[in-house]
Every structure is written in structure tokens, then in C-alpha cells.
Amino acid sequence: MGCQMLVEGPGHVPLDEIEGNIQLQKRMSGGAPYYMLGPISTDVAPGFDHITAAIGAAQSSRFGADLICYITPAEHLALPNEDDVRQGVQAAKIAAYIGDMNKYPEKGRMRDKEMSKARRDLDWEKQFKLALYPEEARAIRKSRMPEHEDSCTMCGSFCAAKGAAKLFSEDLQLSGKL
Ligand code: SF4
């Protein structure tokens, strides 16, 4: 009838049914914008529905959902508080980002490539700059600083990134390229 419309999708869908659901809705509505409530991809994790929804949301974003609804850890349990909302929005933003990486592989993966290089180079400031949530990442690292500041406490003195950098530099020196 010429009216604008937005189709609201379901909130509980197993992972392997999300693609078909979106294709069907898009076909039936003539390609109208489609809004997904995540979806929650399993019903057995109350208290963690921001995660079950983010897993579904990454998939629905990947397959063409146009709008993602955030779900909080309080879903099905209580009215969400401020912290629940923060966690829900953060998880939904990560999910949409992952979906976009697949929808737009050229542009969508540049930031990940940069992050991989920053990790290889143990460039912590660059890693924080590229992070979706730098404050949280910085706070975790700061709370457990390693003995050698360029690595982290995960592998400590066995830091593989550090070992590889040393190995490659020795290799280049031996081959006369440095
Ligand atoms: S210690 Fe391990 S986890 Fe930490 S930066 Fe090195 S390789 Fe990565």
C-alpha cells in the first residue's frame, strides 16, 4: 500500500535456521528492513542471554538483518539494571561488528588485520586504539602486569610473539638481510 514498514523477526532461533529465516522474510516482504531480536540461539543459558543473543546476532547480521536488538544478561529473569544494559549493548555491538566483517569482507577485515599486526609487534597502545572497548582491555592488562612489560602474564617468559620476533630477526641476520 506504499507504507513504510520494518519487519520484526523472532527472538529464539537455532543457529542453522537463521539464514533461511532471513531469506524467507526478505522474500515475503519484498526486501523490507528486517529487525532481529538477536536471536537467542539457545534457551538453556539464563543469566548469559547477552552472549546467546550475540552469537545469533552475528549470524543474523551476516545474513542480512538490518537492525539488531540488544539482549541483557537479565533477559527472562528480571528487569535489567544499568550494568545489564551496558553489557547487552556491548555484546550486540561486537556481534554486529562480526556480522559486518562477513558482509563487507574487504573493508570489514582491515581493522582485524591491523590488530593482528599490533599483536605480533607487541604494540599494546595500538592494540588498545584498535579495540572496540579499549578501557576494559586496558583495565584487565593493568590489573595483571607482567614482569617483562612487552609481553603479558598469559605465557610470561614463554611469550610466543616475542620468541617469534627474536627468531625471525636472527634468521634475517644469518641470511644477511639485516
Ligand atoms: S605472553 Fe602469550 S598471550 Fe601474551 S602477548 Fe605473548 S604470546 Fe600473546
Side-chain angles (χ1 to χ4, degrees), residues 2 21 30 44 51 54 62 80 85 87 91 95 100 128 136 138 141 151:
N21 178 285
V44 299
I51 295 174
R62 175 185 173 195
V85 169
Q87 287 187 56
D100 282 351
F128 296 139
E136 286 80 350
R138 199 183 282 279
R141 176 162 169 78
S151 64

Side-chain angles (χ1 to χ4, degrees), residues 58-72:
Q59 193 77 334
S60 55
S61 160
R62 175 185 173 195
F63 289 115
D66 302 285
L67 192 137
I68 303 290
C69 173
Y70 78 92
I71 306 287
T72 80

Side-chain angles (χ1 to χ4, degrees), residues 5-20:
M5 68 170 195
L6 174 80
V7 180
E8 179 174 337
H12 300 250
V13 186
L15 214 54
D16 62 318
E17 293 179 22
I18 293 173
E19 181 182 7

Side-chain angles (χ1 to χ4, degrees), residues 147-163:
E147 193 184 337
H148 304 289
E149 280 202 18
D150 50 352
S151 64
C152 80
T153 49
M154 182 73 171
C155 335
S157 55
F158 298 106
C159 177
K162 220 166 142 179

